[in-house]
Amino acid sequence: MKSAILALFLVGAAVSSSFAAQTAAQQSMAFDSEPLSIASPKGQAHKFTVELALTPPQLEFGLMYRDKMPADHGMLFDFGTSRPVMMWMKNTELPLDMLFLDQKGVVTHIQENAVPFSETIINSGGPVAYVIELNGGVVKKLGLAAGDKVTSATISAKLKK
């Protein structure tokens, strides 16, 4: 009986420690944010506030361990150069839509409703410079599609170089 109680205590302590480490990591990972707009070729614009994943730790951490995000928010991943990108949903609790963008901010590929916690690789389908993650279902709800144009200060600054 003492062994069983000790085992439960140790498992509980390990889970608690893991949760505390995740919470501490999330709180210590700071992201700046900016407005972002996605416009269809027909001219309809959709506005979001996105957090910026710019550094290697930010790019790796992304939206992990979050259980909610406002409907008009997301995250912009800036990879610094155009290259093939592979994403996954490990430790990500929210279903997400992923928009893959070229260097000019044009959507080249979309992955809708990526499955929470999945370790399945989500491929960009070719070289991309940016990825936007939005709440799952937003792409369908707003009718977003390949060919839509994204504007933000981060993308505009790169275009001027």
Side-chain angles (χ1 to χ4, degrees):
M1 181 71 143
K2 287 183 182 179
S3 297
I5 292 171
L6 180 60
L8 284 174
F9 174 76
L10 292 175
V11 169
V15 169
S16 177
S17 174
S18 174
F19 178 75
Q22 292 169 2
T23 302
Q26 186 175 2
Q27 290 174 347
S28 68
M29 185 64 61
F31 296 92
D32 290 333
S33 63
E34 69 184 23
L36 177 141
S37 179
I38 304 173
S40 70
K42 296 177 184 176
Q44 187 176 17
H46 305 283
K47 297 188 182 306
F48 297 90
T49 298
V50 292
E51 292 177 68
L52 304 173
L54 308 173
T55 67
Q58 290 173 330
L59 291 167
E60 183 178 328
F61 198 83
L63 292 170
M64 291 193 306
Y65 307 113
R66 299 197 193 182
D67 59 0
K68 62 184 177 282
M69 181 168 62
D72 62 345
H73 282 63
M75 182 169 280
L76 175 65
F77 294 76
D78 180 352
F79 294 100
T81 184
S82 189
R83 62 183 175 90
V85 170
M86 290 182 260
M87 310 281 283
W88 67 355
M89 296 289 290
K90 183 177 181 178
N91 299 322
T92 305
E93 299 178 35
L94 303 168
L96 297 172
D97 290 345
M98 297 179 185
L99 290 77
F100 297 87
L101 316 175
D102 67 14
Q103 289 179 302
K104 294 180 180 177
V106 176
V107 177
T108 60
H109 174 71
I110 295 176
Q111 172 66 49
E112 293 184 58
N113 288 304
V115 178
F117 301 108
S118 174
E119 293 185 25
T120 301
I121 299 299
I122 301 167
N123 194 314
S124 62
V128 297
Y130 309 96
V131 173
I132 300 171
E133 290 182 343
L134 303 172
N135 283 301
V138 169
V139 165
K140 184 174 185 176
K141 179 181 176 184
L142 299 179
L144 303 177
D148 287 357
K149 174 77 170 132
V150 176
T151 54
S152 78
T154 296
I155 295 171
S156 295
K158 295 271 178 92
L159 290 173
K160 291 178 184 178
K161 290 182 179 181

